[in-house]
Amino acid sequence: MNYRSITYILGWIMRVEGAFMLLPVIVALIYGEDIWTIYLICALLTLAAGVLLSRKRKGNFQLFAREGYVAVALGWVVLSLIGALPLWLTGDIPHFVDALFEIISGFTTTGSSILVDVEALSRGGMFWRCFSHWIGGMGVLVFLLQIIPLSSGQTMYLMRAESPGPSVSKLVPRVRETALVLYGIYIAMTVLEIFFLLIGGMPLFDTLCTTFGSAGTGGFAIWSDSMARYSPYLQIVVTIFMFLFGVNFSFYYLLLTKRVKEAFQIEEVRAYFGIFAVATVLIAFNILSQVGNLADSFRHAAFQVSSVMTTTGFATTDFDKWPEFSRTLLVLLMFIGACAGSTGGGMKVSRVLIYLKTIKKELAFLVHPRSVKVVMMDGKRMEHTVVRAANIFLITYLGILALSILVVSLDGSDFTTTVTAVITALNNVGPGLSLVGPMGNFAFFSDLSKFVLMFDMLAGRLEIFPLLLLFVPYTWKK
């Protein structure tokens, strides 16, 4: 294990977080809040510590797969611990465990909240809480790849450890340029959403916080009723952008390079579009009698399907009161999630396709034992290592899910609350059902359950294995 290279990367993460922490300082000053001093002190101390840790000294700074995974996992832990400090020190969230839960939920773009009265939060704290979605959406390490002076081979280990999905491919030959393309698309779509929300009459502060939540597919709202108070136009805009941020960013790159036919040949994207359309229609007709008219029924259905499938977590209504069929379908969508290579969470549509294709292959093998079948994706043979990794991911995922449900059940909450709380944390969705529904919160859980859910949120965002490596003894051997 090369500890120098890991320390070096952690230093850069702290430098970036310290710089980002200056933004709530500005917001607090604009709104005349005294908390700006606490954010400023936290920012300067984080920057100073980051500069010290990221100073290159003599020695070996080689970064391989093990160091890459450990640096990413530790990076997210450090990011969260530091990010929770100002929320705690300002008194916005008096209990440190709660502050840590809230900021981990923010950075992992989960959106689960312990806040009972979100409107009571300071504007500076509200901004930092929502901005954490935008930071975590694309990934802080992807951002760092543009500025850290490492070789292309080394940076690929970082990108592979942090990027969501079963495999990572470079859009352009150099990893640094790939990171630049990804962030370019991310920023452009963010600006576009801000524009459309502003022309719809949404206040600037609301616009920024809502955009951070939908761009990062996080879902922290600044009102207790989430998006219910906004106009149908604003809800439709957010629906569209949540859906768009759940698409594999490779799709947009192909569109930008005028390879439209190749873009729509991506099986995962076609399946994502199909699942969204079918689920929206089914739920719209299922809730029609409850909503009253077809237009509102489709608007609420499309919003919730887009929100849950992309694991954003916004809500226009309390879907926990919908018919059992719609509630069950939404829970299933929590598992599927968005596309790989997007800002969304869940198992990813690509993995679901791999599982379905693997089942089809095994059924064909039972009928024709001597036949040779391979799993194909986008017209190309899927490497055995990718299929194997997807299968191992599923086994590990189900194991963590079951164990987490067992531990959280010690709190004595009802079955629906316990199960959906874990599902929503591990899939980075946000709201669940019953007590953790869209109009509920996670404040009533014990500290033990909160730590389990925090672990689940980090594991879900980092695709499980980078975080698990921290607990394996041989990871730390030189």
Side-chain angles (χ1 to χ4, degrees):
M1 175 65 71
N2 191 331
Y3 292 104
R4 290 186 178 182
S5 60
I6 293 173
T7 304
Y8 177 69
I9 292 168
L10 291 180
W12 271 102
I13 290 172
M14 294 172 71
R15 288 169 71 166
V16 170
E17 183 172 20
F20 281 148
M21 209 177 283
L22 294 173
L23 294 177
V25 173
I26 298 171
V27 173
L29 284 170
I30 291 172
Y31 285 94
E33 296 173 334
D34 293 337
I35 62 168
W36 71 269
T37 54
I38 293 176
Y39 275 93
L40 181 61
I41 292 170
C42 289
L44 293 177
L45 290 176
T46 303
L47 278 167
V51 169
L52 287 174
L53 290 175
S54 60
R55 287 177 61 192
K56 271 202 170 185
R57 302 176 182 85
K58 291 183 179 180
N60 179 21
F61 280 86
Q62 284 296 312
L63 185 74
F64 297 103
R66 180 171 56 165
E67 286 83 2
Y69 284 111
V70 170
V72 167
L74 282 179
W76 278 75
V77 172
V78 170
L79 189 76
S80 301
L81 288 170
I82 294 173
L85 286 175
L87 291 175
W88 176 52
L89 294 173
T90 57
D92 274 335
I93 303 179
H95 188 33
F96 181 74
V97 173
D98 286 345
L100 185 61
F101 182 98
E102 196 77 9
I103 204 66
I104 287 178
S105 181
F107 282 132
T108 60
T109 71
T110 303
S112 300
S113 179
I114 50 81
L115 295 174
V116 178
D117 183 14
V118 67
E119 288 95 337
L121 215 60
S122 66
R123 289 287 176 165
M126 185 83 76
F127 182 90
W128 177 238
R129 172 179 176 262
C130 294
F131 188 58
S132 64
H133 281 333
W134 196 86
I135 297 171
M138 184 56 67
V140 66
L141 270 298
V142 174
F143 177 81
L144 285 178
L145 293 183
Q146 301 174 55
I147 55 178
I148 295 181
L150 294 172
S151 68
S152 182
Q154 292 175 303
T155 54
M156 190 60 187
Y157 292 127
L158 295 175
M159 190 170 184
R160 189 171 290 150
E162 191 179 45
S163 298
S167 63
V168 176
S169 60
K170 291 184 282 186
L171 301 179
V172 291
R174 293 175 61 86
V175 177
R176 201 178 302 273
E177 291 173 7
T178 297
L180 186 62
V181 169
L182 290 172
Y183 251 97
I185 296 171
Y186 190 50
I187 292 170
M189 289 174 64
T190 300
V191 172
L192 201 59
E193 183 178 0
I194 290 172
F195 170 77
F196 280 110
L197 290 178
L198 286 175
I199 65 173
M202 184 180 279
L204 179 60
F205 185 81
D206 295 34
T207 294
L208 292 175
C209 291
T210 301
T211 300
F212 295 150
S214 47
T217 62
F220 273 153
I222 61 174
W223 303 104
S224 297
D225 60 358
S226 192
M227 293 291 297
R229 67 180 56 209
Y230 296 113
S231 68
Y233 166 81
L234 294 173
Q235 292 175 2
I236 291 170
V237 169
V238 173
T239 300
I240 292 170
F241 276 94
M242 285 190 298
F243 178 80
L244 293 177
F245 279 106
V247 175
N248 191 321
F249 275 39
S250 298
F251 175 79
Y252 299 126
Y253 177 75
L254 292 172
L255 290 181
L256 289 172
T257 53
K258 299 180 179 180
R259 289 183 278 175
V260 179
K261 185 178 179 181
E262 190 177 342
F264 282 97
Q265 286 177 341
I266 301 176
E267 288 186 50
E268 181 185 34
V269 174
R270 297 205 309 269
Y272 175 73
F273 277 62
I275 295 169
F276 171 80
V278 171
T280 298
V281 171
L282 290 174
I283 290 177
F285 282 105
N286 187 238
I287 65 173
L288 182 57
S289 60
Q290 194 176 88
V291 175
N293 67 79
L294 194 60
D296 287 343
S297 180
F298 266 95
R299 175 165 55 84
H300 287 304
F303 188 98
Q304 270 342 124
V305 170
S306 182
S307 178
V308 169
M309 191 173 177
T310 61
T311 68
T312 304
F314 283 138
T316 55
T317 185
D318 188 357
F319 58 79
D320 191 37
K321 296 179 180 178
W322 283 359
E324 197 65 32
F325 174 81
S326 294
R327 295 165 75 243
T328 303
L329 186 52
L330 288 175
V331 171
L332 293 176
L333 292 176
M334 291 179 188
F335 283 104
I336 296 173
C339 295
S342 72
T343 61
M347 288 197 297
K348 308 296 181 299
V349 176
S350 57
R351 280 201 183 92
V352 174
L353 288 175
I354 291 172
Y355 299 142
L356 292 175
K357 288 173 180 285
T358 303
I359 292 170
K360 181 181 177 181
K361 172 190 169 184
E362 290 303 313
L363 289 174
F365 180 76
L366 290 175
V367 177
H368 303 287
R370 294 185 179 181
S371 64
V372 178
K373 299 287 184 180
V374 294
V375 177
M376 302 289 290
M377 184 78 79
D378 301 330
K380 301 176 184 177
R381 178 176 177 173
M382 182 69 69
E383 293 292 333
H384 173 70
T385 52
V386 176
V387 178
R388 173 179 165 274
N391 292 334
I392 294 173
F393 174 89
L394 180 62
I395 295 169
T396 312
Y397 172 93
L398 293 174
I400 292 174
L401 183 72
L403 186 59
S404 298
I405 290 172
L406 186 64
V407 176
V408 174
S409 70
L410 292 172
D411 277 6
S413 300
D414 64 271
F415 182 77
T416 302
T417 296
T418 300
V419 173
T420 58
V422 174
I423 291 172
T424 197
L426 190 55
N427 292 296
N428 304 134
V429 178
L433 299 175
S434 192
L435 298 179
V436 292
M439 302 305 161
N441 59 72
F442 288 68
F444 61 88
F445 282 113
S446 65
D447 284 353
L448 173 62
S449 291
K450 286 173 184 174
F451 276 112
V452 170
L453 295 173
M454 282 188 271
F455 174 86
D456 289 343
M457 288 188 282
L458 286 169
R461 176 58 182 84
L462 298 179
E463 303 279 291
I464 297 177
F465 294 107
L467 195 64
L468 288 183
L469 276 177
L470 298 181
F471 302 94
V472 178
Y474 60 73
T475 299
W476 305 99
K477 292 180 180 179
K478 290 190 177 182

